[in-house]
Amino acid sequence: MENIRFQIEADVLQSLPFKETETSVLFGNLLDNAIEACKKMKTETRWIRVEIRQRKGFLFFTIANSIGKRPQEKDGEFVSDKEDKKVHGYGLKSIRRIVKKYDGSFQCDVVEEEVKISISFSNK
């Protein structure tokens, strides 16, 4: 797929605290953003890592990907570099809305040539 190296490490989950459609929104948007960022890079340096863990009543999702350059930010939010900015930027807003709805935590770190998004939820 687009010459992107994928690494996935996941625990077997018995249940999720949110609806199936919300699961699709979370992972769909996170993966779409990661793939889009990778496609802007040279083929040999493209990678995405997904980690899903369940520990002591909590779910942890981490998605990290390579980037060619640091994304622009405004007021703590990433700014889309797509031509039609009016119809973009809703993915992370949708993710944050779901995280807030289920009292989860959301963290996004940009370090050197990597974006790492970490989300956690109570699974009780």
Side-chain angles (χ1 to χ4, degrees), residues 104-116:
S105 69
F106 176 95
Q107 182 174 338
C108 181
D109 297 305
V110 181
V111 181
E112 296 179 16
E113 297 175 349
E114 171 181 302
V115 170
K116 180 178 177 182

Side-chain angles (χ1 to χ4, degrees), residues 74-108:
K74 182 179 179 183
D75 300 324
E77 299 282 333
F78 290 134
V79 176
S80 177
D81 61 358
K82 296 177 183 173
E83 289 183 27
D84 188 357
K85 292 181 182 11
K86 292 179 185 177
V87 296
H88 298 289
Y90 293 104
L92 281 176
K93 289 177 186 172
S94 297
I95 292 166
R96 289 178 192 266
R97 179 184 47 77
I98 293 168
V99 169
K100 183 177 179 180
K101 177 180 176 181
Y102 292 94
D103 296 319
S105 69
F106 176 95
Q107 182 174 338
C108 181

Side-chain angles (χ1 to χ4, degrees), residues 16-58:
L16 294 171
F18 31 83
K19 299 174 187 171
E20 286 180 26
T21 54
E22 293 167 327
T23 303
S24 296
V25 168
L26 283 172
F27 284 104
N29 283 302
L30 289 169
L31 288 172
D32 281 348
N33 290 346
I35 291 167
E36 182 180 314
C38 285
K39 287 168 64 174
K40 296 175 185 174
M41 302 179 60
K42 293 179 181 177
T43 304
E44 62 273 5
T45 58
R46 296 175 180 178
W47 58 265
I48 296 173
R49 279 191 321 266
V50 178
E51 188 173 355
I52 303 168
R53 300 289 180 209
Q54 187 169 10
R55 301 282 188 267
K56 297 183 181 182
F58 285 89

